[in-house]
Amino acid sequence: MQYIVRPMTQEDVPQVTAIDREAFPTMWPPMNYQRELENHLAHYIVVAEESDKTSEPPTTKIEANTGLAHKVVEWLTPHKAGPEPPQKIVGFAGFWMMAGEAHIISLAVKKEFRRRGFGKLLLVELVRAAVKIEAEIVTLEVRVSNYEAQRLYLQYGFIGKGVRRAYYTDNREDALIMTLDDADSSQCVAKFEEWRNSLKFGL
Ligand SMILES: CC(C)(COP(=O)(O)OP(=O)(O)OC[C@H]1O[C@@H](n2cnc3c(N)ncnc32)[C@H](O)[C@@H]1OP(=O)(O)O)[C@@H](O)C(=O)NCCC(=O)NCCS
């Protein structure tokens, strides 16, 4: 199976909404991704399974046997005639860009695809995309109890910068603010290139 990272489209919204509900079941109201795609501050990407007849130019192509944890190459079934079914979405992420600051709004991987490196892929590609449009800082809030996500962010240079008390409306849990400073520095850009290549997500 091959995977691509590409911008989110309206066609992806039902699957993205389902992943969002699975990942953030207590968040209310749910995020309206249809509206998000019309928000000029917002930038969203998805990881999708790539069919062999996709018409979208991939930004990143991943061979499952070279990068991600599953080492088996499952070659795609031969292409059938007729309209393409929607690509299966594995995960998504997005940020809002404001005054040199990219604020990560969400990042989620479908449960059945977790722990295979897709979270890393989404984060690395999101930071690269943010820097490309001149983000100097990348920041986010994460639940203080969400150690899995915090570990992911720490691995990629984010550091804890403070706490927003009772930030989450469902259970009044605190949010840890995590920030990647100097995201546009040549050192940081090089690091993310290196990480991207070490994940073997390059074409
Ligand atoms: C957080 C999330 C996106 C990670 O996605 P993923 O595809 O499983 O992540 P990866 O396989 O790329 O793992 C990346 C790193 O995250 C951390 N991590 C992920 N799952 C973990 C777990 N269950 N336990 C401990 N660490 C974990 C590890 O540091 C891991 O690196 P390692 O494998 O080298 O140890 C996923 O768990 C998810 O969708 N969670 C629900 C939504 C959410 O909490 N989003 C973050 C909001 S701020």
Side-chain angles (χ1 to χ4, degrees):
M1 181 62 68
Q2 287 189 333
Y3 300 92
I4 59 166
V5 177
R6 58 164 174 77
M8 190 190 294
T9 67
Q10 290 289 353
E11 204 190 17
D12 302 324
V13 166
Q15 290 188 70
V16 164
T17 303
I19 297 171
D20 178 278
R21 290 294 73 210
E22 181 188 59
F24 309 108
T26 59
M27 289 303 280
W28 194 262
M31 184 72 99
N32 182 334
Y33 288 98
Q34 198 131 12
R35 204 177 306 147
E36 279 295 281
L37 289 179
E38 287 154 17
N39 175 353
H40 70 281
L41 298 176
H43 303 267
Y44 282 91
I45 57 173
V46 295
V47 182
E49 286 185 351
E50 190 189 32
S51 70
D52 52 354
K53 285 277 276 194
T54 184
S55 55
E56 303 250 8
T59 51
T60 300
K61 204 180 255 189
I62 312 142
E63 297 262 352
N65 65 329
T66 57
L68 301 174
H70 40 180
K71 302 272 184 216
V72 182
V73 181
E74 302 163 35
W75 286 108
L76 292 162
T77 50
H79 176 69
K80 293 189 207 93
E84 284 292 308
Q87 287 178 328
K88 185 170 183 176
I89 306 300
V90 167
F92 71 94
F95 63 88
W96 283 20
M97 184 69 182
M98 284 167 290
E101 186 171 307
H103 196 134
I104 297 183
I105 301 296
S106 53
L107 188 159
V109 173
K110 206 171 173 170
K111 258 186 195 154
E112 67 194 270
F113 286 93
R114 288 186 192 162
R115 301 305 322 249
R116 302 194 206 172
F118 289 112
K120 291 178 182 177
L121 171 64
L122 281 163
L123 183 61
V124 168
E125 291 296 351
L126 205 63
V127 169
R128 293 176 73 247
V131 169
K132 249 183 219 151
I133 56 168
E134 298 185 353
E136 293 156 18
I137 292 174
V138 184
T139 187
L140 59 92
E141 284 91 16
V142 55
R143 285 179 192 266
V144 289
S145 64
N146 191 349
Y147 301 116
E148 295 88 353
Q150 288 172 33
R151 275 192 59 185
L152 168 63
Y153 299 128
L154 283 169
Q155 268 183 295
Y156 289 93
F158 285 73
I159 52 171
K161 274 293 170 77
V163 169
R164 290 196 208 287
R165 297 275 168 223
Y167 179 77
Y168 294 97
T169 50
D170 56 348
N171 62 354
R172 300 189 52 75
E173 184 172 349
D174 295 345
L176 177 64
I177 303 164
M178 297 189 79
T179 296
L180 178 69
D181 291 321
D182 301 322
D184 60 340
S185 67
S186 50
Q187 204 183 356
C188 193
V189 169
K191 205 78 200 139
F192 272 83
E193 273 313 303
E194 199 183 297
W195 278 324
R196 181 183 191 246
N197 294 334
S198 73
L199 290 167
K200 299 210 185 334
F201 293 146
L203 281 168

